[in-house]
Amino acid sequence: MKTFARLLALFVLLSATCASVSAQDKPRWITKGVASLEKERSNDSYTFREFEIFGGDIDLLRKERFNPLVGYLANTFGADSASAQVTLLSASSPRPATLNDAEGDRSVQAEYRVTFSAPTPMTFYAKLVDEYVSFDENVDMSFDYTLYQLFAISSTADGAVPQFDDYSYSRKYNTRALALSIVPGLGQMYKGHNAKGWVIIGGEVVFVGAAIYSQIRQHNYSDDAKNASDAVAPSYRSKSKSWRQVRDVAIVGACGLYVYNLLDAALSKGARQVVVNKASGTRLALSPSVMADPMASPAPAVTMSLSF
């Protein structure tokens, strides 16, 4: 009966653990990369790139937030990063992302123009699609902020304005997560719930293993009872009954956890993902902007943009 009680306690513990274990709050484009987003673009005038910088001062990180973007363009197209100027093209300044925000906020989105004056003049356009800030513990027990940024960036150096799509966020997943959860835990991992997925896989292994082991023990004691004398046969039958109860609990635990796995994969929210929607309509805008030069202080500017 001790084994019976332990399995029952394990079932309760796993149920509570699965209910409490949440997804890694980091968006899918951080944990899985941008390959799937590249396939969703409506055109090849731009490409997705993910950048990250870390340090102990979040305000300093925000001041340096364009450095990875400028460095990528300089390295890719042979420009001098020291000659770069970054100009905000959006009508209003973007709102910084909040720490560990699982839902996301479209107000972080903004469009920029990046110009290089050396070795030859070049112009690029970039749109900040999503931003995420985490607070992480290092192996030496120190702490750092990490600023993650997802940009849509010009594919070429000809100065043409890319046809950026519209971008929204969602934590809902299609039926693929449910289909994958036929193998317990895979649906959770697909949605970014890696810890929960491993708990479910481990729980199913324990319960199925316990059911098989208990069935073997129950069968052995049942055979012993048939061949034993009248004096000891009741003891074997009692042990056989106990192991049958353990087997039944293990089967119920495995089935219950499997049903939870299916329901969780179908209904729970996953890690934030970017949804790419083709832009529509024609817009002509004249708006104030800010010229952000990594080598100098921001300066006011006026921008005219046409999109269609």
Side-chain angles (χ1 to χ4, degrees), residues 14 20 76 85 109 113 136 143 146 167 175 208 287:
L14 281 172
S20 62
T76 302
Q85 289 185 333
Q109 295 185 8
R113 182 175 61 243
D136 308 305
F143 293 88
T146 303
Y167 312 104
T175 56
V208 171
S287 59

Side-chain angles (χ1 to χ4, degrees), residues 10-277:
L10 177 61
F11 175 69
V12 174
L13 177 61
L14 281 172
S15 300
T17 301
C18 287
S20 62
V21 172
S22 61
Q24 293 288 337
D25 286 336
K26 292 179 180 177
R28 184 178 177 83
W29 51 267
I30 297 176
T31 58
K32 302 295 184 180
V34 300
S36 61
L37 287 175
E38 292 283 83
K39 298 177 182 178
E40 296 177 17
R41 294 172 300 159
S42 65
N43 62 88
D44 294 328
S45 66
Y46 73 91
T47 185
F48 287 105
R49 287 293 182 271
E50 182 261 327
F51 304 114
E52 57 189 74
I53 53 176
F54 62 93
D57 188 337
I58 185 60
D59 293 328
L60 180 60
L61 291 182
R62 293 200 181 280
K63 291 179 181 179
E64 299 175 346
R65 67 189 184 279
F66 295 119
N67 289 356
L69 171 64
V70 170
Y72 162 76
L73 291 172
N75 292 334
T76 302
F77 298 97
D80 180 5
S81 59
S83 69
Q85 289 185 333
V86 182
T87 305
L88 174 66
L89 301 180
S90 302
S92 58
S93 298
R95 179 183 300 175
T98 57
L99 183 66
N100 296 332
D101 181 12
E103 299 295 335
D105 186 349
R106 291 188 64 181
S107 62
V108 306
Q109 295 185 8
E111 293 188 28
Y112 300 91
R113 182 175 61 243
V114 184
T115 58
F116 295 89
S117 58
T120 58
M122 285 185 283
T123 300
F124 302 91
Y125 295 87
K127 182 172 182 178
L128 178 61
V129 176
D130 196 9
E131 183 177 274
Y132 181 81
V133 181
S134 67
F135 188 59
D136 308 305
E137 181 180 358
N138 301 318
V139 293
D140 61 355
M141 303 302 290
S142 62
F143 293 88
D144 278 325
Y145 292 96
T146 303
L147 175 62
Y148 300 90
Q149 298 176 101
L150 175 64
F151 275 98
I153 308 171
S154 300
S155 297
T156 62
D158 57 10
V161 180
Q163 299 175 20
F164 292 127
D165 295 305
D166 288 332
Y167 312 104
S168 58
Y169 313 133
S170 175
R171 294 184 63 194
K172 295 181 180 180
Y173 285 69
N174 54 26
T175 56
R176 186 174 182 181
L178 178 59
L180 288 173
S181 67
I182 293 176
V183 178
L186 289 190
Q188 285 72 19
M189 292 182 178
Y190 173 71
K191 296 165 66 172
H193 295 209
N194 293 329
K196 185 186 291 186
W198 282 114
V199 169
I200 291 175
I201 292 174
E204 289 290 357
V205 169
V206 170
F207 282 130
V208 171
I212 295 173
Y213 179 76
S214 300
Q215 174 61 29
I216 294 173
R217 296 298 300 271
Q218 185 270 331
H219 180 75
N220 290 341
Y221 279 119
S222 179
D223 288 345
D224 291 342
K226 293 177 182 179
N227 300 323
S229 64
D230 293 340
V232 296
S235 175
Y236 286 133
R237 284 194 291 268
S238 176
K239 291 179 180 180
S240 176
K241 181 180 179 180
S242 296
W243 280 108
R244 184 171 64 249
Q245 290 176 333
V246 173
R247 179 204 62 192
D248 292 344
V249 170
I251 292 174
V252 170
C255 293
L257 190 58
Y258 188 76
V259 171
Y260 170 83
N261 153 72
L262 295 174
L263 293 175
D264 179 75
L267 302 177
S268 69
K269 291 183 177 181
R272 182 168 88 234
Q273 58 181 337
V274 172
V275 180
V276 180
N277 304 294

